[in-house]
RNA sequence: GUGAGCGUAGCCUAGUGGUUAAGGCGCCAGGUUGUGGCCCUGGAGAUCGUGGGUUCAAAUCCCACCGUUCACCCCA
């Protein structure tokens, strides 16, 4: 027996009610803010990710699905959403459009990780990006969108964590100060942090080991070492968020696991926190497009994990609209009626009515059971008697009322009854 | 990659060494002529995660592997 590969899963019809709900909310949010859809391939040149996400990050070093195709191309399954969007922006000359260019995407991403709740090897990301504009008002817009997404989904108690990690001008200076702070404690650090000290010093800040937390607690803050422009930018973002009434918490330990972030970084946490709690995260990436060979072009964006949204939807269970049900189930008795049922089902479907036709020559009782379990609004019943009079019985499955309707009237009556 | 818990029909669960592995949900059929939901009756459906081992005898004990969950890690 084959099983879905480790860390992957099937989304069964029942489940899709949640997914459809989440995706529809996400898409309508984006359209509301003027973000347009962009779909990118499921695999890309591996370099696209190694150059942007950064060597030394776990994503690049140990989690990417990298393979060679038959032409010897080194490809990688999409590891995250932002770099492909920037690639498409450059490839199609979207910098020639009025800036900023606002795009959104929904699609799978792949990382070879140890699966657990809320963490999969294939997960689905929804994200939006605004490219070509450095105005802090866009940072605020993106954060507002992230906030509004979860509000519109009906998830209560989500919170936004905010920080600024500076730019390529001020960050080196900060990292120096940070290393100095840690130099006295090098012996006491956990083994991971000893490695971070030279490779990824920013990540020292979000280590969860008790010892390291203590040291990180007294560490210098990124926000105290921002250059003038970065500080101004950050303060302006605060101001705009205040104007918008978006609540947020400053978190001086918030850094992100991808190298391309500059200045604003933020994360969205649900009310109920667990191991894999983060619902989504984002920030500014003003050097990313330049890294890909474009002209210096600022960008800011956000990405959320649909699995984690669905997880929280189930936990809080706001009203999720059920999947659509058939308007009518067409039942028949005997081979002549079956032919007529086939014609009628086809006609009704031409009129955009969702119809399920009986199959397999079951007893009427069996057919009615099926109509019931499918949640059909009506049953259309065709027997010998109805057939000879060119009628059908129309049964309302909710009330149990039934009437005889001429076949020629069936579409009209069902159309009316659909509401 | 590290540590821990779990793995019995599609789903949930009982069964901790001894005859045909039990129940509930769901599914299928029937409860007299062509009518669902409730109820009743019957039926199908399980190599007890996989492979080895211990034993006269293993779902039950041991080992390995796989999967899953939780934590670390990482991040969405």
């Amino acid at each position: 027996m084959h099983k879905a590969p480790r860390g992957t899963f099937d989304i069964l019809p029942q489940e899709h009610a949640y997914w459809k709900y989440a995706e529809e909310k996400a898409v309508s949010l984006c359209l509301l803010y003027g973000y347009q859809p962009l779909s990118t391939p499921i695999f890309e040149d591996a370099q696209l990710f190694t150059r942007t996400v950064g060597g030394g990050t776990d994503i690049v070093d140990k989690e990417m699905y990298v393979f060679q195709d038959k032409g010897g191309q080194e490809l990688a399954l999409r590891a995250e959403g932002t770099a492909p969007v920037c690639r498409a922006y450059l490839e199609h000359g979207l910098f020639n459009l009025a800036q900023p260019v606002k795009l959104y995407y929904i699609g799978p991403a792949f990382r070879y990780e140890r699966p657990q709740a809320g963490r999969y090897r294939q997960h689905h990301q929804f994200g939006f990006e605004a490219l070509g504009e450095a105005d802090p008002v866009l940072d605020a817009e993106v954060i507002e969108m992230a906030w509004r997404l979860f509000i519109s989904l009906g998830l209560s108690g989500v919170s936004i964590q905010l920080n600024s990690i500076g730019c390529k001008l001020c960050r080196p200076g900060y990292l120096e100060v940070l290393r100095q702070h840690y130099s006295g404690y090098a012996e006491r650090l956990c083994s991971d942090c000893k490695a971070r000290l030279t490779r990824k010093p920013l990540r020292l800040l979000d280590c969860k080991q008790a010892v390291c937390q203590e040291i990180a607690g007294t560490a210098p803050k990124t926000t105290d070492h921002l250059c003038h422009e970065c500080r101004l930018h950050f303060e302006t973002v605060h101001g705009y968020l205040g104007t918008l009434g978006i609540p947020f918490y400053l978190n001086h330990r918030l850094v992100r696991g991808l190298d391309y972030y500059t200045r604003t970084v933020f994360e969205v946490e649900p009310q109920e926190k667990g191991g894999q709690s983060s619902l989504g995260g984002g920030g500014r990436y003003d050097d990313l497009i330049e890294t890909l060979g474009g002209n210096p072009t600022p960008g800011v964006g956000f990405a959320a994990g649909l699995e984690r949204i669905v997880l929280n939807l189930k936990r809080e269970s706001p009203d999720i609209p059920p999947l659509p049900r058939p308007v009518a189930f067409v039942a028949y008795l005997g081979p002549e009626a079956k032919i007529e049922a086939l014609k009628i089902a086809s006609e009704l479907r031409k009129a955009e009515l969702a119809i399920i036709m009986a199959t397999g020559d079951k007893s009427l009782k069996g057919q009615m059971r099926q109509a019931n379990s499918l949640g059909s609004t009506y049953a259309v019943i065709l027997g010998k008697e109805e057939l000879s009079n060119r009628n059908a019985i129309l049964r309302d499955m909710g009330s149990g009322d039934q009437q005889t309707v001429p076949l020629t009237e069936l579409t009209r009556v069902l159309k009316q009854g659909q509401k």
Side-chain angles (χ1 to χ4, degrees), chain A residues 63-276:
Chain A
E63 296 176 358
M64 280 217 297
Y65 280 88
V66 181
F67 63 98
Q68 276 201 354
D69 71 7
K70 291 179 194 263
Q73 279 287 313
E74 180 111 315
L75 300 170
L77 296 185
R78 182 164 58 213
E80 61 96 36
T82 303
V85 170
C86 292
R87 194 223 78 229
Y89 174 87
L90 285 174
E91 182 172 343
H92 303 289
L94 302 188
F95 43 80
N96 290 312
L97 302 175
Q99 305 294 298
V101 173
K102 298 180 171 185
L103 301 163
Y104 76 86
Y105 60 87
I106 298 181
F110 304 84
R111 293 177 202 166
Y112 187 84
E113 298 184 273
R114 185 100 174 236
Q116 66 186 70
R119 188 169 83 183
Y120 302 92
R121 290 184 175 177
Q122 175 179 354
H123 73 280
H124 298 78
Q125 283 196 12
F126 156 65
F128 41 82
E129 319 282 350
L131 303 173
E133 176 61 77
D135 191 333
V137 79
L138 275 183
D139 303 45
E141 176 174 285
V142 162
I143 293 169
E144 185 194 26
M145 286 174 73
W147 174 251
R148 189 164 288 183
L149 172 67
F150 296 106
I151 299 296
S152 75
L153 287 166
L155 294 178
S156 58
V158 303
S159 63
I160 293 176
Q161 313 264 317
L162 183 69
N163 196 16
S164 174
I165 56 171
C167 67
K168 61 185 169 192
L169 295 179
C170 52
R171 200 182 306 158
Y174 169 72
L175 293 181
E176 197 42 52
V177 177
L178 187 65
R179 282 204 196 88
Q180 273 172 26
H181 170 77
Y182 273 85
S183 61
Y185 304 107
E187 301 306 310
R188 295 170 52 197
L189 291 171
C190 72
S191 57
D192 285 333
C193 279
K194 281 179 183 144
R196 287 178 182 131
L197 200 47
T198 50
R199 299 195 70 188
K200 293 278 158 195
L202 260 192
R203 309 240 42 200
L204 289 164
L205 293 172
D206 72 346
C207 183
K208 289 174 195 85
Q209 300 288 326
V211 209
C212 304
Q213 287 229 340
E214 197 184 307
I215 300 166
T218 58
K221 297 169 179 171
T222 53
T223 47
D224 290 337
H225 296 267
L226 297 175
C227 61
H228 176 69
E229 284 72 22
C230 284
R231 180 169 332 126
L232 192 63
H233 185 96
F234 196 45
E235 282 166 3
T236 311
V237 172
H238 287 193
Y240 289 146
L241 288 175
T243 302
L244 291 168
I246 307 293
F248 62 89
Y249 298 94
L250 276 184
N251 180 350
H252 296 292
R253 309 262 197 90
L254 178 64
V255 297
R256 310 233 59 224
L258 293 78
D259 277 358
Y260 55 63
Y261 284 106
T262 54
R263 294 189 167 173
T264 311
V265 291
F266 68 100
E267 262 182 45
V268 182
E269 297 262 319
Q271 189 159 38
E272 197 162 324
K273 297 182 172 62
Q276 304 302 317

